[in-house]
Amino acid sequence: MTESFDAIVVGLGAMGSATVLELAKKGLKVLGIDRLAPPHSLGSSHGDTRITRRAIGEGEVYSPFSMRSYELFHDLEDKVNETLVVKTGGLILGNKAKSAAINHTFDFLKNTLTAANKYQIEHEVLEAKDIRRRFPQFKVDDDEIAYYEFGASILRPEMIIKAQLAVAKELGAVIHTNETVLSFEETNTCVQVKTSVGVYEGEQIVLSCGPWLNGMVPDLENAFKVYRQILYWFDVSESYDNFQVGQMPIFIWQLKGHDHGIYGFPAVDGKNGGFKIASENYDQITSPDKVRREVDTDEIQKMYNDKVAPYFPRVKNKCIKAVVCMYTVTDDSAFVIDYLPSSKRILICSPCSGHGFKHSAAVGETVAELLLTGSSTLNISAFKLNRLLEDKSL
Ligand SMILES: Cc1cc2nc3c(=O)[nH]c(=O)nc-3n(C[C@H](O)[C@H](O)[C@H](O)COP(=O)(O)OP(=O)(O)OC[C@H]3O[C@@H](n4cnc5c(N)ncnc54)[C@H](O)[C@@H]3O)c2cc1C
């Protein structure tokens, strides 16, 4: 006999593990399925650290999601007795007068300030001389300023996913790993989900399969583009003192003269872990099957020459490791949390345009509310799928 569930969640990365947990908290009978065994390093949620902040430069609509996620991540920390959110402060650096490199959206720094004022988020605005005095690791120009958010923090993505799945299980969620969803079909009463192992029925299903989404719903391929990204960990010359958590903030820097800026973290795992820094790349569309997972020495050298050495003079030309990860991006860099066209049972929640982790706990809660009641506490009107479709009648 086919086993039935109130909800089936396909993909257990950042979004899916949060969704399974929130559904289990609400007492639903939930099945979570993943083709791999999360946390893993083949999707979009690996690389030791993610930035979180409350004033969101991608648009003030996101701040309620990150603020609620802080609460949910702290609850999770209490449940598993681990540190999942590491407070270190955050700098958003940019040009005083005009926008420089793009970070998901234009006017990132200006939007951040607007959100900070709207949601009364504790912050300071620093002139170049203040930045140099307080944070000598950063080599800023005279015309650069920074927004400093006291509560900005580092999230530990792999630990969070592991904790969310463990607590969900304790609450009764059924978790199947190393099982691939091959197809799904909506009937009048449920969605039938066929996997590499069996067939299940869900009253509703959630597609949170990150960069694999296009393979699951090929009709939407034009709406979601997957891009290869690289994370780098460099060694620091002399001492790590200024690069430790608490000494150094996370940062997002809209560099002058570049299309895309940089972001990075203090050496959260100490000297052996190195200083993590990355930029963004939108040159070539890829897919999880085709993406090149190796990083060339040329790519490492170019990153160091162009985007590390000029801005962090104390960072050595010695890469400790470099890792490939994927963004799943919409044309307006905004999320999608919505049912598939003409479906009341199949919801997607995963394309997060490279800035989703900090919001993922609240996205999970929002999806759980939608499945249960049809509405959500947080406003998701900006995340409709329809805006991305050529045929708006769908
Ligand atoms: C380099 C990089 C840096 C980032 N930095 C930040 C940051 O600093 N702050 C921030 O907030 N966000 C950041 N993000 C974004 C954030 O990490 C992502 O939005 C988030 O992790 C995406 O999670 P996901 O659950 O959508 O996808 P994934 O984590 O990829 O999960 C998808 C899951 O679906 C499973 N799956 C796929 N197909 C199937 C199938 N057919 N059957 C079963 N299972 C399936 C996969 O195995 C996978 O586990 C960054 C992303 C990247 C790549």
Side-chain angles (χ1 to χ4, degrees):
M1 218 178 90
T2 309
E3 202 177 348
S4 297
F5 294 86
D6 296 325
I8 298 176
V9 178
V10 183
L12 302 175
M15 299 301 159
S17 60
T19 302
V20 165
L21 172 58
E22 294 303 323
L23 287 165
K25 278 187 195 168
K26 292 188 187 307
L28 271 76
K29 186 181 176 196
V30 54
L31 167 65
I33 307 175
D34 201 289
R35 62 188 300 149
L36 299 164
H40 59 76
S41 57
L42 296 175
S44 300
S45 300
H46 56 282
D48 305 342
T49 51
R50 289 291 186 269
I51 291 173
T52 188
R53 51 202 149 87
R54 291 181 171 85
I56 303 296
E58 285 88 354
E60 58 185 72
V61 64
Y62 294 99
S63 284
F65 283 85
S66 80
M67 292 193 288
R68 177 63 182 145
S69 293
Y70 266 94
E71 292 171 357
L72 292 167
F73 287 138
H74 285 315
D75 287 351
L76 187 63
E77 285 183 310
D78 290 344
K79 287 205 179 74
V80 297
N81 199 20
E82 283 183 293
T83 303
L84 306 173
V85 185
V86 182
K87 187 173 165 186
T88 194
L91 276 185
I92 314 288
L93 302 120
N95 194 272
K96 216 180 213 171
K98 54 182 189 301
S99 253
I102 298 172
N103 191 287
H104 303 137
T105 48
F106 293 101
D107 294 327
F108 189 84
L109 180 56
K110 198 169 127 205
N111 294 346
T112 298
L113 275 161
T114 306
N117 290 328
K118 174 162 179 176
Y119 294 104
Q120 299 182 339
I121 293 156
E122 194 186 6
H123 71 279
E124 282 177 281
V125 177
L126 305 178
E127 296 289 330
K129 64 175 176 8
D130 305 319
I131 304 169
R132 287 186 200 116
R133 185 175 46 81
R134 298 248 302 259
F135 304 109
Q137 311 88 329
F138 298 81
K139 187 166 178 260
V140 291
D141 279 349
D142 288 344
D143 61 354
E144 289 181 302
I145 57 166
Y147 162 91
Y148 179 72
E149 186 172 306
F150 290 86
S153 299
I154 299 165
L155 299 173
R156 307 301 311 245
E158 290 91 346
M159 290 168 69
I160 287 174
I161 290 171
K162 192 168 163 222
Q164 286 174 157
L165 292 177
V167 177
K169 251 180 169 174
E170 276 168 29
L171 294 173
V174 180
I175 304 294
H176 290 188
T177 55
N178 298 309
E179 180 171 341
T180 304
V181 171
L182 303 173
S183 61
F184 49 87
E185 194 182 351
E186 186 167 346
T187 69
N188 286 336
T189 52
C190 69
V191 184
Q192 279 211 332
V193 176
K194 199 170 164 197
T195 75
S196 48
V197 172
V199 179
Y200 312 96
E201 282 179 1
E203 233 173 79
Q204 301 192 63
I205 73 165
V206 177
L207 299 179
S208 44
C209 29
W212 285 266
L213 184 67
N214 285 334
M216 297 294 286
V217 277
D219 291 353
L220 300 180
E221 203 158 13
N222 290 335
F224 308 119
K225 299 186 178 76
V226 175
Y227 294 99
R228 173 178 179 264
Q229 308 296 332
I230 307 174
L231 299 163
Y232 303 86
W233 287 257
F234 285 94
D235 199 2
V236 174
S237 56
E238 299 145 30
S239 125
Y240 266 72
D241 283 358
N242 279 339
F243 285 78
Q244 312 252 12
V245 171
Q247 304 287 315
M248 184 181 194
I250 58 91
F251 62 91
I252 298 171
W253 197 340
Q254 295 188 277
L255 301 178
K256 287 186 289 183
H258 290 276
D259 289 342
H260 299 289
I262 47 176
Y263 62 92
F265 304 79
V268 68
D269 290 321
K271 187 170 165 41
N272 296 333
F275 158 65
K276 179 179 162 188
I277 181 165
S279 185
E280 297 193 316
N281 187 335
Y282 299 95
D283 290 344
Q284 218 179 352
I285 294 171
T286 186
S287 70
D289 299 333
K290 291 195 205 124
V291 69
R292 188 163 56 83
R293 296 194 181 266
E294 305 74 40
V295 182
D296 299 339
T297 45
D298 287 358
E299 290 176 304
I300 293 171
Q301 200 53 54
K302 188 166 168 38
M303 178 69 183
Y304 183 78
N305 292 344
D306 293 357
K307 294 191 169 174
V308 181
Y311 306 100
F312 296 94
R314 285 188 47 212
V315 174
K316 275 192 201 167
N317 189 4
K318 181 180 164 202
C319 186
I320 296 173
K321 69 173 173 172
V323 166
V324 166
C325 195
M326 285 170 286
Y327 279 1
T328 307
V329 179
T330 61
D331 280 348
D332 56 8
S333 284
F335 292 2
V336 174
I337 304 176
D338 200 1
Y339 286 91
L340 286 185
S342 50
S343 170
K344 295 230 163 6
R345 298 184 185 276
I346 305 168
L347 183 136
I348 53 175
C349 78
S350 210
C352 294
S353 301
H355 58 107
F357 206 102
K358 69 183 76 56
H359 308 297
S360 57
V363 169
E365 187 177 58
T366 298
V367 170
E369 288 174 352
L370 283 173
L371 262 53
L372 207 57
T373 67
S375 63
S376 63
T377 309
L378 301 182
N379 182 359
I380 53 167
S381 57
F383 307 145
K384 295 252 182 262
L385 179 58
N386 189 272
R387 74 185 197 277
L388 303 169
L389 302 178
E390 277 161 32
D391 182 354
K392 304 282 180 209
S393 65
L394 281 174

